[in-house]
Amino acid sequence: MYELKIEMMNLFLKQIWVWRCGGALILALFGVILSLIWLPANPIADAQSNGCPTIPPEILQQIPPELLQQYLEAVQAGCNAASSSAFTLSAAPNPGETDSIVIATAQLPNNGNPSSAQFTWFVQNQKRSDLSGIGKNVAGIVTPSTPGSLLVRVDAIGPANATSSAHISIPIILSSQTKAFQGLQNQIDDLIQQKNAVESQFDVVIQISPDAPKPSEIVILAVTGLQQDVSGADIIWFFNNKKIVGGTGAKTASAQVGPAGSTNTVRVLVTLPDGRTAEQSLSITPAGIDFYWWTNAYVPAWYRGKALPTPGSTIFIQARPSFSASISNALIYTWLLDGEIVQSASGQGKSLFAYGIPKTELLASSISVRVTNLSKTIDQTADFSIPVVSPDPQIYELRPLEGIRTAQPIQTVTRQAGKAIDLVIEPFFIPRAIFTTARYQWALNGKNLPFAATKPWVFGMTSEPDSSGDQDISVTLDNPSDSQFQLSKSMRITLQ
């Protein structure tokens, strides 16, 4: 049967090629006749597919190019006329786009009036009562946010309880609006993750007293938090891998170091009430010479901890042998930097050594001192480890009657709209020389504010009474005479 239809169409095409100048009337008649010939043997199956049969390529190749468009239109018209008795379902636009609307339209057989028919709609195999009802042959369907296929089905009960059903699978492609929204959402998610990561971090520092314990001496250990107050934290101390103290607020502990040259390991584990943890450790090697050191790095006057050396600062190290002051002043001190003798700093009574920490170069791996007397009956050597850290700027709230709220720096704070708030930046551990000439550039929501002539380290803001939302504040420190120096810190105020 199929081969017979092909042969008949080939013959008819040859006639059309000869009569191509016969006009549109011949073409229209050809389309109707061809569609009738090409109707499938099973009209019901074709009606269920909601479309005309596929025309074989070998037929299309024999049609003159200038007549192809008219031919296809004539075939479609004939097919539509032949299948007008089918129950059809169409959609527009097709394909649809994400986060949009497609309109599905059901047509009763023989162009029947839908006003008295009962239509039941299904979307993705789920009944949609809101779209169903008498006369509801048109449904507006919101498309999903992800590309794929949208399956739509409609059941109709017409006059005399005649039932019909049709379905259509509508391809859904990604719209430009959805793509832009997803890109914005990804950026928001990334910012939230960065914010959570910053807020979840905190560091602790272990301090020992004395700084350089003698053999078998008892040392006092203390832990402090740079970003958080650890008074209410659960703190566990370990000495040489053995737990020695543990409990809430156990900020100090004591231990006895071993003989000269022995390695003594201290470790502390701090867990805040919200579950965040920080761990720090250090190694103590006792010697017969104590060291006392200080640095010219900046710390606020209210800070109870010790100023720590940073790149660009100077650390001053004083060797203190285990002798009386009169004997110690008569001893010969030989200072070594990475094993090389520093002649200018060595000599009788020169117990103080100043070391300028490089800004960009490699840090000296070791500083050591050899203490002797003229007769060599005293000969002791000790190594000093440089506790270098990075500058750590922190923002605190400044209140008129209370001053700086030093309990802990702020990352985020909520304030009532219309109220004033003052902030102060404390650049912990930057070199004093830089601190005195540093410039402070404050910014509000990404826009730089004018430099303040007085107290540039203080930022004050009074919001409008009807304002609300997040206000991002940042401050950048630099130095006109040192292009390599720059620090920054940011925080957020939520107005309610």
Side-chain angles (χ1 to χ4, degrees), residues 178-192:
T178 302
K179 186 176 182 180
F181 176 79
Q182 291 176 350
L184 179 60
Q185 185 64 48
N186 291 337
Q187 294 180 24
I188 294 174
D189 292 342
D190 290 342
L191 290 175
I192 291 175

Side-chain angles (χ1 to χ4, degrees), residues 106-308:
Q107 179 62 53
L108 293 174
N110 300 316
N111 294 323
N113 186 357
S115 61
S116 60
Q118 171 71 35
F119 294 88
T120 304
W121 290 90
F122 298 83
V123 179
Q124 303 293 54
N125 295 321
Q126 299 294 322
K127 182 179 178 180
R128 292 288 299 272
S129 299
D130 56 319
L131 303 177
S132 305
I134 297 177
K136 292 188 175 182
N137 68 314
V138 178
I141 303 169
V142 178
T143 57
S145 299
T146 55
S149 296
L150 183 66
L151 181 62
V152 178
R153 192 186 97 215
V154 61
D155 297 340
I157 302 177
N161 293 327
T163 61
S164 303
S165 181
H167 68 272
I168 187 173
S169 181
I170 307 168
I172 302 299
I173 61 178
L174 184 66
S175 67
S176 57
Q177 294 86 349
T178 302
K179 186 176 182 180
F181 176 79
Q182 291 176 350
L184 179 60
Q185 185 64 48
N186 291 337
Q187 294 180 24
I188 294 174
D189 292 342
D190 290 342
L191 290 175
I192 291 175
Q193 291 179 1
Q194 294 175 16
K195 172 179 174 293
N196 293 337
V198 170
E199 292 181 349
S200 65
Q201 293 178 352
F202 80 100
D203 299 314
V204 295
V205 176
I206 299 176
Q207 295 177 336
I208 65 171
S209 179
D211 295 336
K214 294 179 288 187
S216 304
E217 187 175 10
I218 295 178
V219 295
I220 305 299
L221 311 170
V223 62
T224 56
L226 292 178
Q227 298 91 357
Q228 296 286 340
D229 182 11
V230 297
S231 297
D234 183 58
I235 304 174
I236 303 176
W237 290 93
F238 300 88
F239 186 74
N240 290 333
N241 298 321
K242 293 182 179 180
K243 179 180 176 181
I244 54 174
V245 176
T248 302
K251 297 170 61 175
T252 61
S254 62
Q256 185 177 19
V257 298
S262 63
T263 300
N264 303 266
T265 303
V266 177
R267 181 168 64 93
V268 64
L269 178 63
V270 180
T271 303
L272 295 178
D274 61 8
R276 287 180 290 162
T277 63
E279 185 175 346
Q280 188 61 268
S281 62
L282 58 80
S283 180
I284 304 173
T285 302
I289 301 173
D290 292 335
F291 290 104
Y292 178 78
W293 62 267
W294 66 97
T295 178
N296 64 351
Y298 167 80
V299 291
W302 50 262
Y303 183 65
R304 297 182 179 179
K306 192 171 186 177
L308 301 178

Side-chain angles (χ1 to χ4, degrees), residues 6 11 79 130 156 161 170 172 215 246 309 313 328 338 364 406:
I6 296 296
L11 292 175
C79 179
D130 56 319
N161 293 327
I170 307 168
I172 302 299
S313 67
S328 297
D338 286 338
T406 62

Side-chain angles (χ1 to χ4, degrees), residues 55-116:
I55 301 174
E58 58 266 25
I59 298 300
L60 295 175
Q61 293 174 359
Q62 300 184 51
I63 301 173
E66 59 269 32
L67 299 179
L68 180 60
Q69 182 62 35
Q70 300 180 48
Y71 159 78
L72 294 175
E73 293 176 355
V75 170
Q76 185 64 46
C79 179
N80 292 341
S83 61
S84 62
S85 61
F87 178 57
T88 60
L89 177 61
S90 60
N94 191 358
E97 292 186 339
T98 55
D99 294 315
S100 183
I101 295 178
V102 296
I103 304 299
T105 305
Q107 179 62 53
L108 293 174
N110 300 316
N111 294 323
N113 186 357
S115 61
S116 60

Side-chain angles (χ1 to χ4, degrees), residues 394-467:
Q394 299 292 338
I395 297 176
Y396 295 86
E397 185 176 1
L398 178 63
R399 294 192 175 181
L401 299 180
E402 301 177 29
I404 299 175
R405 302 195 70 190
T406 62
Q408 67 178 53
I410 55 177
Q411 302 270 353
T412 60
V413 65
T414 301
R415 285 292 181 270
Q416 183 179 353
K419 300 294 183 179
I421 183 172
D422 292 330
L423 305 172
V424 60
I425 179 73
E426 292 286 10
F428 282 79
F429 313 140
I430 69 171
R432 287 275 180 180
I434 293 179
F435 174 77
T436 55
T437 58
R439 295 186 305 181
Y440 299 78
Q441 175 64 70
W442 292 89
L444 178 62
N445 294 326
K447 295 183 178 179
N448 289 338
L449 302 176
F451 286 103
T454 59
K455 295 184 178 181
W457 52 87
V458 176
F459 172 82
M461 183 185 79
T462 302
S463 60
E464 297 295 335
D466 58 347
S467 60

